[in-house]
Amino acid sequence: MRVTGTDAAARIVDRAKRERRGALVFTIGTGCCESTAPFLYEDFWPGPDSEQVGEVHGVPVYAPEYLRALYPADDSVVIDVVDDLAESMSIETEYGCRFILRDGSGSQLEGRDREDCDVPSAVSALRSRGPQELPEALRRVRMR
């Protein structure tokens, strides 16, 4: 997976760099409602299975293993910006816009068919994990 950004995205990142004091980072695939939307955060730790997959105007972009597995190394996506607003904790929403992903050809990735987004079972949260048991300390807990 290789991630770059458009000039429009770079302008928003530049504005955030001027107005923020902390370290900026993009993360993809960690949102609750728009799970593959790019999010720009300040002083954010992307998580233990996330790796850097690119950068936008000097800001690193991280993606978790399940998302990286969907894109062979030569596949690319582009972070762009649109004026549509969405509820988000991503920094750019303060500026009246939001980041989106586009494929390497510039097409927006939202609304893709499910078969295009099959997650390999090796990294899926839905994979079988065998029998699950509560830890001993929790087995004795009584709730009222």
Side-chain angles (χ1 to χ4, degrees):
M1 178 177 206
R2 191 181 39 175
V3 180
T4 59
T6 63
D7 290 341
R11 286 191 294 274
I12 297 299
V13 167
D14 189 50
R15 181 175 177 184
K17 284 179 172 181
R18 287 191 312 269
E19 296 178 5
R20 300 287 180 135
R21 294 189 177 175
L24 297 178
V25 64
F26 272 102
T27 182
I28 301 173
T30 57
C32 60
C33 299
E34 294 183 278
S35 66
T36 56
F39 292 91
L40 179 63
Y41 294 124
E42 180 179 21
D43 296 329
F44 178 79
W45 181 63
D49 74 333
S50 288
E51 291 182 8
Q52 187 171 346
V53 293
E55 68 175 47
V56 176
H57 200 57
V59 173
V61 179
Y62 289 87
E65 181 182 13
Y66 86 88
L67 189 58
R68 294 190 318 268
L70 298 176
Y71 294 88
D74 59 341
D75 272 2
S76 66
V77 294
V78 179
I79 295 177
D80 198 2
V81 66
V82 294
D83 289 333
D84 298 335
L85 268 182
E87 289 187 32
S88 175
M89 296 175 71
S90 188
I91 291 172
E92 82 283 358
T93 58
E94 298 171 8
Y95 309 138
C97 57
R98 69 183 176 110
F99 290 115
I100 62 167
L101 286 182
R102 297 190 186 277
D103 66 16
S105 71
S107 298
Q108 192 168 339
L109 293 177
E110 293 177 14
R112 289 176 64 163
D113 293 335
R114 182 178 172 90
E115 60 267 17
D116 289 342
C117 298
D118 286 339
V119 177
S121 61
V123 294
S124 173
L126 301 175
R127 72 185 178 277
S128 174
R129 297 177 189 202
Q132 301 291 308
E133 292 186 19
L134 286 172
E136 182 63 36
L138 291 178
R139 286 187 216 158
R140 295 186 305 251
V141 172
R142 301 285 182 239
M143 299 186 74
R144 296 180 197 202

